[in-house]
Amino acid sequence: MSKSAVAKRYAIALFELARENDTLVTTREDLTEIKSAWKQDADVQALFDSPKLSLDKKKELIRTVFGSASPAVVNTLQLLVEKKRLHELPAIVEEFSALSNEAQGIAEATVYSTRALTDEERAHISSAFAQEVGKGSLNIHNVVDPSLIGGLRIQIGNRIYDNTLSSKLTRLKRNLIG
C-alpha cells in the first residue's frame, strides 16, 4: 500500500467521483490499463518528465493517448501533469484499487500453483476463501511456481493458506529429524 498522502488524496477524490457516477468498475479498469502502460514503457515516463515538452502539449498528449478512458480519469491525469505529480500515478492506482475493493467487498489474493489456474478453479477458490476473510469475492492473481511440487499457496492480505506438497515435505522432514 502506498504511503503517499498525496496519492491517497487523489485516489479518494477520484473514488468519490466514480462512486457518484456509478463508474467504479470502468474507472478501475481504465486506471489499471494506464498504470500498466506507464510501468511498461520508460519512454512514456521520460516524455512526460521532459522539460522540453510544454504543459499544454503534455495535456494534449494525454487527451490523445488516453482519450478512450473515462473523462474523470483523463481529467485526473491532466491535473497530475499540471501539478507535476504524474510520478504518483502508480500509488494513486493502488490506493484507488484498495478503496474500490473495500466498497465492493473484494479482497486481493495471490495464488501460487504449479500450473496456470482455469477459470473454474479461480471461481472455486474465490468462493471458498472469500468467506474465510469475510469478503464477497476474491480478485485472484495466479503465480506459477513449479517448486511447489503440488497443491496451492494462497495469500490474502497478511494471511497465508499453504497446502503445498513442498511445505508438507518440509514439515515432515522437521518432525522426523527434530
Side-chain angles (χ1 to χ4, degrees), residues 2-14 76 79-80 83-93 95-96 99:
S2 169
K3 302 279 189 244
S4 171
V6 170
K8 192 168 193 114
R9 279 189 235 127
Y10 278 98
I12 289 170
L14 189 56
T76 301
L79 183 62
L80 290 171
K83 300 291 184 183
K84 296 178 178 29
R85 291 196 167 148
L86 202 53
H87 63 278
E88 294 280 352
L89 182 64
I92 292 169
V93 175
E95 292 287 348
F96 183 90
L99 291 167

Side-chain angles (χ1 to χ4, degrees), residues 20-34:
E20 282 177 22
N21 296 332
D22 198 28
T23 59
L24 273 177
V25 175
T26 57
T27 301
R28 181 177 180 175
E29 289 169 357
D30 290 344
L31 287 172
T32 303
E33 284 182 36
I34 291 168

Side-chain angles (χ1 to χ4, degrees), residues 49-118:
D49 288 340
S50 172
K52 293 180 181 178
L53 200 60
S54 72
L55 186 62
D56 291 334
K57 294 252 189 228
K58 289 178 184 178
K59 286 182 170 182
E60 181 61 35
L61 191 59
I62 283 177
R63 275 193 298 276
T64 304
V65 174
F66 303 115
S68 62
S70 70
V73 172
V74 173
N75 291 340
T76 301
L77 291 174
Q78 289 180 332
L79 183 62
L80 290 171
V81 164
E82 190 175 306
K83 300 291 184 183
K84 296 178 178 29
R85 291 196 167 148
L86 202 53
H87 63 278
E88 294 280 352
L89 182 64
I92 292 169
V93 175
E94 285 180 34
E95 292 287 348
F96 183 90
S97 294
L99 291 167
S100 177
N101 283 347
E102 190 62 36
Q104 295 174 331
I106 300 172
E108 293 288 328
T110 304
V111 178
Y112 299 88
S113 61
T114 57
R115 60 173 174 74
L117 298 173
T118 65

